[in-house]
Amino acid sequence: MFPPFIRKIMILAAFAAAVFNFSKGDESGFVFLCMGALLVYFDIRCGSIVLAYSAFRRQDFNLLRRLITGTTKPQWLRPPSKACYHFLKGILHTIDEEYGEAKTCYLQAANKHLRPQHLQCLAYCALADMSLHLGQHAEAEKFLAQAKSFPNQSEVEQMIDELEKRMNTKDELSGDGVSKNTLEVSNEAHINQEEKS
């Protein structure tokens, strides 16, 4: 996947080549026209989500922020890309300690379209974390139970354990423990998942 600026140049070049070939009476302009249309389609439906996800995995949060804020029409993204967009936007809100907005984003991300499955589990852990920060203990327990229901949760086991400890100690309103750890644990989960693949 290319950065947005490069994708725009490729789209313009494809359409310019189509116009040039059509102006010469060459029918090969249809090839460039189709190529330009495909590039536009993939630009709209996939956006920069692959690059943003890669930035998240490298913990390059400045690039992640630029790519996510540069996605102007998230409603046009394919369902898996849209779910990943909301998950990554939730990560940015977590960094900014905007727990209400983060919870909203994680709720939008935690659906069957978020892939791979360990990201769904991580989204439910993040929802439990945000609920604890907002003082919603019952909701946190519900989200943690959903996270535990995933068959393979070894990648986020540390986060689940820390959430359970916070719930049991009743210090959930004052703790910074898990949300700071959310980024570390999620990065470890992605590395472990790749090693298994």
Side-chain angles (χ1 to χ4, degrees):
M1 192 48 116
F2 298 102
F5 179 71
I6 301 296
R7 290 197 311 266
K8 303 296 186 235
I9 289 175
M10 290 171 63
I11 290 168
L12 289 174
F15 285 128
V19 169
F20 177 75
N21 284 332
F22 283 137
S23 68
K24 289 180 16 179
D26 189 354
E27 292 181 8
S28 67
F30 284 110
V31 172
F32 291 106
L33 185 64
C34 291
M35 186 175 14
L38 279 173
L39 287 170
V40 168
Y41 173 80
F42 285 115
D43 187 49
I44 289 171
R45 297 292 282 168
C46 299
S48 299
I49 300 304
V50 172
L51 292 173
Y53 182 71
S54 178
F56 164 66
R57 295 199 49 229
R58 291 189 317 270
Q59 293 193 356
D60 184 352
F61 297 114
N62 290 328
L63 178 60
L64 173 62
R65 189 175 302 277
R66 280 198 324 268
L67 292 170
I68 290 298
T69 55
T71 303
T72 56
K73 302 284 187 193
Q75 66 272 19
W76 291 354
L77 295 171
R78 294 179 316 119
S81 296
K82 189 188 301 186
C84 191
Y85 166 83
H86 289 297
F87 176 78
L88 296 173
K89 195 168 181 185
I91 292 290
L92 293 175
H93 285 301
T94 302
I95 291 169
D96 297 338
E97 297 182 5
E98 298 167 342
Y99 302 123
E101 291 87 352
K103 184 177 177 184
T104 302
C105 289
Y106 291 132
L107 279 169
Q108 292 174 320
N111 62 35
K112 61 185 177 194
H113 297 296
L114 189 59
R115 297 282 182 253
Q117 195 175 48
H118 73 275
L119 273 183
Q120 288 180 359
C121 183
L122 183 60
Y124 282 113
C125 287
L127 279 165
D129 184 25
M130 297 304 105
S131 296
L132 286 175
H133 277 286
L134 296 170
Q136 302 164 343
H137 193 79
E139 276 198 21
E141 288 177 352
K142 179 184 80 168
F143 290 131
L144 189 58
Q146 285 178 296
K148 289 171 147 183
S149 71
F150 285 88
N152 185 9
Q153 52 181 293
S154 59
E155 292 88 9
V156 293
E157 191 173 330
Q158 177 186 355
M159 188 174 183
I160 290 173
D161 291 343
E162 289 183 25
L163 283 165
E164 285 179 329
K165 286 177 192 172
R166 278 180 64 203
M167 284 187 204
N168 292 335
T169 60
K170 306 288 187 208
D171 288 335
E172 65 274 321
L173 295 177
S174 61
D176 286 337
V178 177
S179 29
K180 302 269 190 229
N181 240 354
T182 298
L183 305 174
E184 295 168 12
V185 171
S186 62
N187 193 37
E188 288 174 20
H190 297 300
I191 290 169
N192 292 340
Q193 188 68 22
E194 285 222 339
E195 287 173 357
K196 290 180 183 177
S197 300

